Amino acid sequence: MRFDAITLFPEIFAGITGHGVTSRALSQGLWSFHAWNPRDYTQDVHRTVDDRPYGGGPGMVMMAAPLEAAVRDVQADRERLGQPRGQVVLLSPTGRRFDQSAAAQWIAGPGKILVCGRYEGVDQRFVDRCVDEEWSLGDFVLSGGELAALPMMDACVRLLPGVLNDDQSALQDSFHVNLDGLLDSPHYTRPEIYDGEAVPEALLSGHHARIARWRRDQSLRLTLARRPELIEQARRDGRLDKADEKLLLGLQG
Ligand SMILES: Cc1cccc(C(=O)NCC2(NC(=O)c3cccc4nocc34)CCCC2)c1
């Protein structure tokens, strides 16, 4: 899988290319990454990439020409290497909401060309001419599209075969970080007593059935409290057993 990013701040991508499982996967050739800076595609001495918005208003807008020139260069590079074209994605607050199923869709394809906006956004003529899809990380204000691209790329790379080892990928199965769509139960590690606080006794018992029951109960309690809609979904999917329903009945009264 190949990711390309069109970005004024390529160093931001060190967040995943330089650290952790995604960095190792990169060096193992399980995916590849190329950053392309629109500033390298300017013609003027000041290397201008932004300008004031027509119609007035605050801030600046990224100009179409440097962005388009960068995208065309990426496409030429992919073509030169005999790689498939790949969709041009604009990270944007007006885009489709990214989620785990989107990550699964993305890795099924040849790899996206991610256009990261800065300032107030990008010239619409660039969007109309070059952008195939718009995707959003969520409804909040960000300083740049890079800060949405990173988590999306991370979610995709983790799904690639060979990136995670077996037990890590077991956790990876459902995006609630839990095998059955509920929120994960609390985690503990050494020391057994931390500043006077002990580890729940069930986890020290060595009884696997008892440990599994404790973890399940904790997941149900936490999910009921924070994401009750996931309980309903699990119920509809028939993923709650009698013991689960008994506990929930006790909690919901
Ligand atoms: C809710 C809202 C409404 C209007 C503007 C903004 C806003 O934050 N505008 C600033 C920019 N935001 C994003 O790119 C961005 C933001 C949020 C999620 C995203 N998912 O992908 C890219 C994303 C656009 C150009 C530079 C950064 C946010």
Side-chain angles (χ1 to χ4, degrees):
M1 163 157 227
R2 169 174 171 169
F3 276 118
D4 293 280
I6 312 281
T7 173
L8 292 171
F9 302 106
E11 60 278 8
I12 288 179
F13 291 88
I16 54 172
T17 60
H19 306 274
V21 294
T22 48
S23 175
R24 193 184 61 232
L26 192 66
S27 50
Q28 288 171 336
L30 296 174
W31 67 295
S32 65
F33 175 70
H34 304 260
W36 310 72
N37 192 328
R39 222 175 272 287
D40 298 334
Y41 296 88
T42 53
Q43 311 298 329
D44 64 311
V45 69
H46 297 294
R47 295 160 57 87
T48 310
V49 292
D50 65 313
D51 205 335
R52 286 177 297 115
Y54 280 114
M60 303 290 270
V61 174
M62 291 184 80
M63 296 162 75
L67 287 169
E68 175 156 354
V71 167
R72 298 301 177 220
D73 211 13
V74 178
Q75 291 171 330
D77 185 61
R78 285 183 175 217
E79 203 142 334
R80 182 172 58 79
L81 296 167
Q83 294 167 344
R85 208 172 169 84
Q87 280 93 355
V88 177
V89 166
L90 175 67
L91 287 316
S92 160
T94 57
R96 206 170 127 199
R97 178 68 67 85
F98 188 86
D99 59 12
Q100 191 71 21
S101 61
Q105 287 165 34
W106 282 27
I107 64 166
K112 306 288 187 182
I113 300 171
L114 302 173
V115 180
C116 305
R118 280 273 156 172
Y119 312 109
E120 298 310 305
V122 303
D123 188 300
Q124 188 59 33
R125 289 163 296 182
F126 165 74
V127 180
D128 298 341
R129 291 162 62 95
C130 298
V131 173
D132 300 311
E133 306 166 358
E134 289 188 36
W135 286 89
S136 171
L137 190 61
D139 296 333
F140 34 77
V141 180
L142 291 178
S143 306
E146 294 85 357
L147 302 173
L150 274 180
M152 294 180 188
M153 291 166 67
D154 188 64
C156 291
V157 170
R158 292 174 64 84
L159 289 176
L160 294 173
V163 173
L164 298 181
N165 61 40
D166 294 345
D167 51 346
Q168 284 171 320
S169 55
L171 280 179
Q172 178 72 25
D173 281 0
S174 121
F175 66 95
H176 301 310
V177 193
N178 184 303
L179 294 183
D180 45 20
L182 300 177
L183 299 185
D184 214 357
S185 55
H187 301 282
Y188 297 87
T189 188
R190 287 180 301 174
E192 195 177 311
I193 311 288
Y194 172 64
D195 195 24
E197 297 202 46
V199 170
E201 189 250 331
L203 297 181
L204 304 173
S205 69
H207 289 287
H208 297 294
R210 192 167 160 221
I211 292 166
R213 188 68 249 160
W214 183 87
R215 283 176 170 157
R216 180 71 177 184
D217 288 0
Q218 292 294 314
S219 283
L220 288 164
R221 286 168 192 275
L222 194 60
T223 309
L224 184 65
R226 299 210 187 136
R227 298 287 302 277
E229 78 281 4
L230 297 179
I231 297 280
E232 289 313 315
Q233 186 60 55
R235 186 169 285 129
R236 277 196 298 275
D237 296 350
R239 285 184 278 111
L240 299 181
D241 67 20
K242 278 192 178 20
D244 297 337
E245 293 293 4
K246 190 161 176 282
L247 176 98
L248 288 165
L249 205 61
L251 292 174
Q252 288 168 305

